[in-house]
Amino acid sequence: MSQQTNTVLPKDVSAGDFDAAVKEFRALLGEENVLIQSEQLTPYTKIMMPGDVERNTPSAAVTATSVEQVQGVVRICNRYGIPVWTISTGNNFGYGSAAPGQRGQVVLDLKKMNKIIHIDADLGTALVEPGVTYQQLYDYLEENNLPLMLSFPAPSAIAGPLGNTMDRGVGYTPYGEHFLMQCGMELVLANGEIYRSGMGGVEGDNAWQVFKWGYGPTLDGMFTQANYGICTKLGFWLMPKPPVSKPFEIKFEEDTDIAEIVEFIRPLRIAQVIPNAVVIAGVLWEAATCNTRRSDYTDEPGATSEAILKQIQKDKDLGAWNVYACLYGTPEQVEVNWNIVQGALKQLGKGKLVTAEEAGGTEPFTYRSKLMTGVPNLQEFGLYNWRGGGGSMWFAPVSQARGSECDKQYGLAKQILNKHGLDYVGEFIVGWRDMHHVIDVLYDRTNDEERARAEACFNELLDEFEKRGYAVYRVNTQFQDRVAQSYGTTKRRVEHAIKRALDPNNILSPGKSGIDLNNDFTL
């Protein structure tokens, strides 16, 4: 079968200029690292959003293997005005995958830059390149018998710390606020210069991965969820592996229990009795992750009935809400905190406490335990089998960790999803004082009518939650500009002013987080 050359061009770039740029890419990177055939670009066109795949089709993809090559790529892009969309592992499922944010962008794929540059077992620090995965890092720790523990999102094995941290993702251990644990970035700017944050700019300094601030303005956060530079190295902290980890679950029978659950958890989290992010997962989330499909119970269109939800809950021995947490430390520390948790639960007067021994290696307890103890896995991919059809969008509003907030958000979200014939598949994640409400909007992407309903549903979720003062902290590429509107015009003007200063040719990931000089905001 003959290969077909991709005919998509970057916006406002002529065919002649694009061909000239491709020749320069090949001279810089080698023929095998410049992909322009339609078959070669297939991995960069797969999306889980409802929009037409054409809007996310790249003109080409290039793979770099060194910082110097990344510098060369951006210089070529500057010369020809070619927009470049950067990915690390390209496995950001639910938020956009490996496809570019806009049609015609060149994907800069950094998965081949996968060196674990340095790990300090005494200080618990790491320095890695973009293509390093959590599985690769876990294997390195295990093979070298290093007493350190990872924190990562779920599913984790094929994702990586650099990409997840730069998108301000979270995990399930005491080090689960990943950007908080970041310490030192290396970035290639749009003009090809290298910027190192924190102590990284000091010649011969050895504190880059231990002191975050350096001198003068601290700019690390400015580069997260942004398009001001390409991160080529990331430093971060690893948690010392504790002598004892005690994962546990608490099952609650009724969905009306959610407010009481959060009021029970919040003081334990703030006091660090429970030091990790506590997950409160709904019945369908857990059912899907223990390999349950909707088709096992019904083939009726629309939202799953309450009667079926209760039957699934009974059949799979799940709660309407399933709380997961973990205690860490010496045996003495864990025992003290375990007694505190048991006492607080007794005072609450509801909830069935389940230990690892009582769970006996069953799912979903096992994969939840792995998340909380730093063992990568892919079990949560079961979510995508609940309805099938490859459609998934993560809706993730943030609020205070209060039971009253959960009540309002849960009721509103379920009403909107069911209105559009979709199921509430969600969980609450209680941080120190914040609460992430993560909903996986699952639908059949092969069904045009269901795609349309899913898109309308997601728009309504954004609109109705915003009316009540809730906004999401991450979103897929289809809705980035819409979510940027939630945060006001002043913020957008500042972001675009920075973009004009650092990337006047608008070549780095235009549209990322709604930042695009083609849709300029002037101060």
Side-chain angles (χ1 to χ4, degrees), residues 137-376:
L137 195 54
Y138 175 79
D139 291 343
Y140 181 92
L141 297 179
E142 290 294 298
E143 289 164 8
N144 291 278
N145 198 29
L146 300 180
L148 300 169
M149 193 170 83
L150 297 175
S151 175
F152 37 69
S156 49
I158 58 177
L162 187 145
N164 183 264
T165 300
M166 295 302 288
D167 213 31
R168 295 206 295 274
V170 296
Y172 302 90
T173 76
Y175 278 38
E177 191 63 64
H178 293 161
F179 177 63
L180 184 65
M181 300 302 163
Q182 172 272 333
C183 194
M185 297 177 185
E186 176 186 87
L187 300 119
V188 174
L189 303 181
N191 64 0
E193 291 183 339
I194 291 176
Y195 169 72
R196 288 188 169 189
S197 69
M199 303 298 294
V202 179
E203 191 72 30
D205 181 83
N206 66 2
W208 194 22
Q209 269 68 71
V210 296
F211 185 63
K212 193 169 185 169
W213 314 115
Y215 173 75
T218 300
L219 304 180
D220 304 59
M222 185 183 84
F223 291 97
T224 63
Q225 289 192 9
N227 52 12
Y228 304 140
I230 298 170
C231 190
T232 49
K233 292 183 180 68
L234 182 83
F236 56 100
W237 297 338
L238 299 171
M239 178 177 164
K241 186 176 289 186
V244 175
S245 296
K246 186 179 181 66
F248 62 93
E249 177 186 8
I250 310 172
K251 298 178 184 178
F252 291 85
E253 287 300 310
E254 304 299 331
D255 58 3
T256 53
D257 291 335
I258 185 62
E260 292 177 273
I261 295 170
V262 174
E263 292 301 309
F264 153 66
I265 290 170
R266 186 185 61 247
L268 299 175
R269 282 289 292 119
I270 291 177
Q272 293 290 285
V273 172
I274 299 176
N276 70 315
V278 175
V279 172
I280 310 167
V283 61
L284 285 188
W285 192 294
E286 296 307 271
T289 55
C290 64
N291 307 315
T292 307
R293 297 171 185 257
R294 189 175 186 272
S295 58
D296 296 339
Y297 286 85
T298 181
D299 56 5
E300 291 294 316
T304 306
S305 71
E306 293 300 317
I308 291 176
L309 296 182
K310 280 297 179 185
Q311 188 63 49
I312 292 172
Q313 186 178 328
K314 179 182 177 182
D315 292 349
K316 304 299 179 181
D317 191 21
L318 299 168
W321 296 108
N322 304 271
V323 176
Y324 296 95
C326 191
L327 306 179
Y328 309 83
T330 64
E332 296 81 7
Q333 290 172 319
V334 168
E335 183 179 3
V336 167
N337 287 331
W338 182 240
N339 289 335
I340 294 172
V341 170
Q342 288 179 300
L345 187 62
K346 184 177 180 180
Q347 188 173 355
L348 178 63
K350 61 175 64 177
K352 178 185 177 183
L353 192 58
V354 180
T355 64
E357 293 74 21
E358 291 165 334
T362 58
E363 296 291 3
F365 189 98
T366 297
Y367 104 89
R368 290 289 186 182
S369 297
K370 289 178 178 178
L371 290 182
M372 295 186 290
T373 56
V375 182

Side-chain angles (χ1 to χ4, degrees), residues 73-90:
V73 167
V74 299
R75 287 170 179 147
I76 294 168
C77 289
N78 265 308
R79 276 198 292 277
Y80 295 100
I82 292 175
V84 58
W85 184 268
T86 306
I87 62 172
S88 49
T89 67

Side-chain angles (χ1 to χ4, degrees), residues 395-399 409 435 437 461-462 465-474 482-483 485-487:
F395 179 73
V398 178
S399 71
Q409 287 202 11
M435 184 175 65
H437 185 187
L461 285 167
L462 289 169
F465 271 67
E466 185 178 325
K467 287 177 185 176
R468 293 158 177 81
Y470 303 121
V472 300
Y473 84 107
R474 294 170 79 186
R482 166 63 186 84
V483 169
Q485 296 171 22
S486 301
Y487 286 83

Side-chain angles (χ1 to χ4, degrees), residues 46-49 56 90 92-100 475-477:
K46 293 179 180 178
I47 58 172
M48 304 175 83
M49 304 167 291
N56 300 99
N92 195 12
F93 297 110
Y95 290 118
S97 305
V475 77
N476 64 66
T477 50

Side-chain angles (χ1 to χ4, degrees), residues 387-450:
R387 277 187 178 263
S392 170
M393 296 179 288
W394 295 66
F395 179 73
V398 178
S399 71
Q400 297 177 343
R402 293 186 188 276
S404 57
E405 298 289 282
C406 282
D407 260 342
K408 289 187 288 186
Q409 287 202 11
Y410 171 59
L412 179 61
K414 188 168 184 177
Q415 180 266 321
I416 293 171
L417 284 154
N418 289 176
K419 169 186 168 183
H420 291 277
L422 302 173
D423 293 319
Y424 175 86
V425 182
E427 63 182 12
F428 293 95
I429 304 173
V430 182
W432 278 359
R433 291 164 176 82
D434 65 278
M435 184 175 65
H436 290 46
H437 185 187
V438 181
I439 300 166
D440 198 349
V441 181
L442 297 167
Y443 63 99
D444 183 353
R445 210 182 169 279
T446 66
N447 182 315
D448 289 343
E449 187 271 337
E450 192 156 313

